[in-house]
Amino acid sequence: MEWGEVRAHLNAHRHELGHIASRLYPEVPRVEGTALLTRPEWMPGAPIPLESVRLHWDPRPPEPAVADPDDGLPEGYRTYADAMAALAPPKVFEDRPSYRLLGADLVTNRPELTLGPSHYFAGLNVGEAVAHELAADPHATRLPLRECVGDPCDLSRRTVLPAITTVTVTRSGSYVLHWRDPAKVVHAGGLHQVMPVGVFQPLGTASAAGSDLDLWRCMVREFSEELVGADEDYGPGFDQDAWPFQQALDKARQEGRLTVHCLGMGVDPLTLALDILTVAVFDDATFDGLFGAMVEVNAEGRVMRAAFDGTVPEPMQPAGAAALRLAWRRRAALRLA
């Protein structure tokens, strides 16, 4: 198949290809019986209040072992992102500043993540390329690029750009479910997902100095963009601390009407994307006040409500399935039982 045909096949069959990719890592631990790959130090024994996760900044991280592979690209294209931009661009496709995950330990008394500067395409160029390689021949006995990357949970082998995957659940027992439109997104098109979900990125160009290194602030922007349908372009001079939406969510947390916890981390076997799994639990009145006019369609797909009852809709992205199952198993600690 030509490159474009393989790309289309990848987008149409991510769920099936994900199962094939999962079987390539039989010795790697899974999260809650899903395909999401993990390490013991990434999976705490109980939900961690988000404010307890410390973030460290490394302004000059070492170069990854594998970067910008050109395996299988059409002639004239240097990176996978270059080929996508020209031959198969999704609706949203920008090389924004992003945070690179360099180290993580969520099981100590002082859970912490170490991050450094990077950009969106640095992660895509490896992750989508290894997925493309598998899609080109799902029955291949050798996958040279994937073999070169090696351990999918080794943060030094490639540029790992963590996404924050959030189960948004109300105390009455519903959560927000998303169907990701493959025509609009790069990652996990055609699959269900919890929401909001977004790559851990700074506001504007703050990545170089780590001045916006804050999980919660990134999550708040995703709540606004994905549930309310707000624009992702905040413009010059935007003051997030003075933003009424930020202030409303901060106040809800301070008053206990909203709690936010980290549940762990894991890697998608198909694309090697890493997700920080979180859960946001809202009192119903608070959720209705903030999201009563929640959109039915956003920039990435369809939005709906579903019953929080331990079931996982299919097909679903591994990170979403893992986050849902973890939230369900930890529901007593989250005061959802």
Side-chain angles (χ1 to χ4, degrees):
M1 289 189 288
E2 297 292 332
W3 188 94
E5 293 175 315
V6 175
R7 180 71 196 173
H9 180 74
L10 170 60
N11 282 334
H13 298 280
R14 285 183 182 265
H15 189 58
E16 302 94 315
L17 290 167
H19 284 297
I20 295 171
S22 180
R23 294 196 290 269
L24 300 174
Y25 305 104
E27 304 303 320
V28 180
R30 275 25 182 206
V31 180
E32 289 296 302
T34 69
L36 197 69
L37 310 172
T38 193
R39 285 187 164 183
E41 65 267 28
W42 294 355
M43 294 305 302
I48 305 170
L50 191 70
E51 61 272 16
S52 297
V53 179
R54 298 181 303 159
L55 305 183
H56 297 294
W57 180 248
D58 182 347
R60 296 180 182 84
E63 290 297 316
V66 180
D68 298 342
D70 57 7
D71 308 54
L73 292 177
E75 186 176 352
Y77 297 101
R78 188 181 62 85
T79 68
Y80 199 91
D82 289 343
M84 277 192 66
L87 304 175
K91 185 175 181 180
V92 179
F93 195 61
E94 298 178 21
D95 194 18
R96 298 181 179 181
S98 302
Y99 295 126
R100 176 184 169 193
L101 185 63
L102 304 169
D105 192 339
L106 297 176
V107 301
T108 66
N109 291 330
R110 295 171 65 82
E112 59 186 20
L113 306 175
T114 300
L115 300 111
S118 190
H119 58 99
Y120 181 60
F121 287 176
L124 179 149
N125 284 335
V126 176
E128 288 297 310
V130 296
H132 190 107
E133 178 186 54
L134 182 63
D137 186 358
H139 305 292
T141 56
R142 288 204 60 222
L143 297 166
L145 177 55
R146 192 172 287 266
E147 291 170 10
C148 185
V149 171
D151 181 354
C153 297
D154 184 342
L155 302 178
S156 69
R157 296 295 302 167
R158 66 190 192 284
T159 297
V160 177
L161 306 181
I164 307 170
T165 290
T166 303
V167 181
T168 300
V169 59
T170 63
R171 297 206 179 277
S172 63
S174 69
Y175 72 97
V176 185
L177 181 64
H178 196 206
W179 180 77
R180 295 175 61 80
D181 188 336
K184 296 180 177 181
V185 298
V186 174
H187 180 60
L191 304 181
H192 291 97
Q193 177 62 301
V194 297
M195 65 183 295
V197 175
V199 175
F200 188 19
Q201 295 174 319
L203 178 66
T205 59
S207 173
S211 56
D212 191 41
L213 192 67
D214 189 304
L215 292 166
W216 173 238
R217 286 167 58 89
C218 184
M219 290 171 68
V220 168
R221 295 194 297 271
E222 293 294 338
F223 272 113
S224 175
E225 294 160 15
E226 294 196 7
L227 274 69
V228 181
D231 197 321
E232 295 185 15
D233 185 2
Y234 293 89
F238 175 75
D239 183 352
Q240 187 165 342
D241 292 325
W243 185 24
F245 187 75
Q246 176 79 51
Q247 293 174 344
L249 284 166
D250 286 345
K251 185 178 181 182
R253 287 184 73 191
Q254 293 162 6
E255 295 177 352
R257 295 179 285 114
L258 163 62
T259 61
V260 186
H261 290 80
C262 177
L263 300 171
M265 295 194 327
V267 171
D268 186 291
L270 178 61
T271 64
L272 308 185
L274 183 142
D275 289 77
I276 301 169
L277 310 177
T278 67
V279 56
V281 180
F282 285 83
D283 288 357
D284 284 72
T286 300
F287 182 89
D288 292 342
L290 289 163
F291 306 113
M294 189 172 67
V295 297
E296 295 183 1
V297 177
N298 66 12
E300 297 181 341
R302 296 196 306 267
V303 180
M304 61 207 89
R305 299 281 289 275
F308 182 66
D309 57 8
T311 61
V312 175
E314 292 289 351
M316 192 165 201
Q317 188 180 351
L324 261 180
R325 290 184 179 177
L326 278 169
W328 179 253
R329 183 155 70 88
R330 305 295 190 191
R331 64 191 183 279
L334 298 169
R335 296 192 294 119
L336 285 166

